């Protein structure tokens, strides 16, 4: 998959381009339907599939106070789209100049660079100044600019519309099981291992502490069944999110304990996939009670994979 960070003229390089448009801030099962439709259409006309999206959430420019935390980092987004089978990704910054473009001018700019045969979008897609561009306008302007607009219907799970907002709420609640179903994959967290307080090692359960990201959403505080990948090798693990109340902690952190792993992870980048929430975070009366609970958590996690 080729990745561009600015809109580039490709219409002379490729023929039969099919473009999927959207913020795609979760790349959940609804977004995947839209992108897969673009990929399938491109294959049907022996063309090239393209996603045009933004490297930052539009609300970061429109109203920073309303900007939600990321479900995926840009790195994660690229990996997910590559696995879908996309040919080209335009992951471009959403800027004030883009915000001020009238809808027709935005389409004109897109067609000037890509000359798409199809534009694929979701039913709530908006574009151009004040979001005045609608799916209906996309269809209407198709004849003028020479493309066919395909508007994908809403995607439902258990009779509720799949949306990034719903997934964020599920993660905040700690309902990782349902969030994963809507994402179509395990929620994951890429991070760099940093120096922790090393209490886990003293307790007999060494953990890798991950640098916190203020932009990336974290699930609710608690202990989770996870898998952790290091240098392309995946290990079963449990992961704790919280403040370590037993030790009077006050800053939220993420730490993971890998089973059957004894190597040093300091400064390594690891990926943690979340599968099941075991329990809430809680304060323990003493260290022995905490150690017993951690043993129980590990047993729960091991039995989860049986």
């Amino acid at each position: 998959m080729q990745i561009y960070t600015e809109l580039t003229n490709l219409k002379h390089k490729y023929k039969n381009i099919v473009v999927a448009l959207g913020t795609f801030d979760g790349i959940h099962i609804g977004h995947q339907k839209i992108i897969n439709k673009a990929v399938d259409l491109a294959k049907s006309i022996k063309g090239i599939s393209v996603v045009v999206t933004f490297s930052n959430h539009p609300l970061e420019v429109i109203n920073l106070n309303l900007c939600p935390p990321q479900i995926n980092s840009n790195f994660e987004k690229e990996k997910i789209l590559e696995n879908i089978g996309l040919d080209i990704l335009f992951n471009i910054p959403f800027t004030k100049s883009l915000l001020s473009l009238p809808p027709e001018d935005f389409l004109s700019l897109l067609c000037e660079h890509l000359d798409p045969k199809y534009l694929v979008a979701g039913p709530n897609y908006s574009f151009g100044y004040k979001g005045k561009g609608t799916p209906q306008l996309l269809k209407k302007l198709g004849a003028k600019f020479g493309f066919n607009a395909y508007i994908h219907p809403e995607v439902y799970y258990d009779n509720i519309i799949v949306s990034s907002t719903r997934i964020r709420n599920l993660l905040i609640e700690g309902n990782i099981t349902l969030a994963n179903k809507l994402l179509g994959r395990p929620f994951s967290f890429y991070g760099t291992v940093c120096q922790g307080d090393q209490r886990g090692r003293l307790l007999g359960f060494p953990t890798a502490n991950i640098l916190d990201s203020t932009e990336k959403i974290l699930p609710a505080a608690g202990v989770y069944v996870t898998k952790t990948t290091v240098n392309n090798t995946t290990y079963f693990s449990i992961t704790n999110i919280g403040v370590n109340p037993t030790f009077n902690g006050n800053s939220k952190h993420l730490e993971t304990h890998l089973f059957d792993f004894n190597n040093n992870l300091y400064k390594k980048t690891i990926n943690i996939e979340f599968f099941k929430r075991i329990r809430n975070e809680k304060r323990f009366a003493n260290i022995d009670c905490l150690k017993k609970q951690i043993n129980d958590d590990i047993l729960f996690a091991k039995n989860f994979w049986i």
Side-chain angles (χ1 to χ4, degrees):
M1 184 181 73
Q2 292 178 276
I3 301 171
Y4 295 88
T5 55
E6 60 182 19
L7 206 54
T8 305
N9 194 319
L10 297 181
K11 68 179 181 182
H12 300 301
K13 187 175 182 180
Y14 300 107
K15 292 183 178 180
N16 299 334
I17 293 176
V18 179
V19 177
L21 295 169
T23 303
F24 301 134
D25 54 339
I27 319 184
H28 52 60
I29 58 175
H31 293 152
Q32 290 169 40
K33 292 277 189 183
I34 295 167
I35 297 164
N36 281 326
K37 181 65 179 180
V39 171
D40 291 343
L41 281 170
K43 288 178 180 177
S44 72
I45 59 173
K46 296 181 171 59
I48 296 293
S49 59
V50 175
V51 160
V52 176
T53 188
F54 303 117
S55 55
N56 54 322
H57 198 288
L59 281 173
E60 188 178 300
V61 176
I62 297 167
N63 189 337
L64 184 59
N65 292 329
L66 297 178
C67 187
Q70 295 176 348
I71 295 174
N72 307 302
S73 67
N74 281 310
F75 176 77
E76 291 164 346
K77 181 195 294 185
E78 291 165 8
K79 290 293 183 185
I80 296 163
L81 290 175
E82 188 172 32
N83 289 335
I84 286 176
L86 185 71
D87 294 314
I88 295 173
L89 168 64
F90 283 98
N91 200 24
I92 62 177
F94 187 84
T95 61
K96 289 183 178 180
S97 59
L98 267 181
L99 175 64
S100 63
L101 275 181
E104 191 164 336
D105 289 357
F106 173 76
L107 287 180
S108 177
L109 181 67
L110 199 66
C111 293
E112 178 186 335
H113 285 80
L114 301 176
D115 189 24
K117 300 301 179 187
Y118 288 92
L119 289 182
V120 184
N124 298 315
Y125 177 67
S126 63
F127 59 98
Y129 182 62
K130 291 188 175 179
K132 290 182 178 178
T134 63
Q136 292 72 27
L137 184 61
L138 206 60
K139 285 187 171 184
K140 182 180 177 181
L141 292 174
K144 176 178 178 179
F145 289 107
F147 63 80
N148 291 305
Y150 180 89
I151 308 304
H152 200 284
E154 298 278 16
V155 175
Y156 289 81
Y157 187 91
D158 281 350
N159 298 316
I160 299 176
I161 294 172
V162 177
S163 71
S164 297
T165 299
R166 187 181 180 209
I167 291 168
R168 286 190 187 92
N169 289 336
L170 289 169
L171 291 171
I172 290 168
E173 294 165 8
N175 191 343
I176 200 75
T177 303
L178 185 51
N180 286 349
K181 289 178 179 177
L182 302 192
L183 285 169
R185 64 185 181 279
F187 174 80
S188 64
F189 196 100
Y190 280 87
T192 302
V193 178
C194 61
Q195 188 74 43
D197 52 31
Q198 298 188 327
R199 287 198 189 101
R201 189 171 298 278
L202 292 173
L203 292 170
F205 308 99
T207 60
N209 293 265
I210 310 302
L211 288 171
D212 189 19
S213 168
T214 56
E215 297 178 349
K216 170 95 176 182
I217 193 168
L218 278 177
V223 179
Y224 294 83
V225 176
T226 55
K227 287 182 180 179
T228 301
T229 300
V230 185
N231 295 332
N232 297 318
T233 302
T234 300
Y235 302 86
F236 295 122
S237 56
I238 57 169
T239 299
N240 179 72
I241 297 172
V243 299
N244 276 338
T246 303
F247 298 100
N248 298 314
N250 53 25
S251 61
K252 196 172 185 180
H253 66 279
L254 182 154
E255 56 183 338
T256 186
H257 170 69
L258 286 64
F259 304 161
D260 305 315
F261 184 89
N262 296 307
N263 296 330
N264 189 351
L265 290 175
Y266 184 52
K267 291 188 177 181
K268 290 189 179 295
T269 299
I270 64 176
N271 181 44
I272 304 170
E273 294 178 298
F274 290 75
F275 291 88
K276 175 76 176 179
R277 190 168 189 247
I278 300 174
R279 61 174 174 84
N280 293 330
E281 183 180 44
K282 60 183 179 181
R283 181 188 294 272
F284 293 90
N286 53 56
I287 301 302
D288 288 337
C289 290
L290 174 58
K291 289 172 71 172
K292 181 182 181 305
Q293 182 63 65
I294 294 173
N295 273 312
D296 290 346
D297 294 339
I298 291 172
L299 181 61
F300 181 100
K302 288 181 175 179
N303 286 335
F304 179 82
W305 300 111
I306 295 174

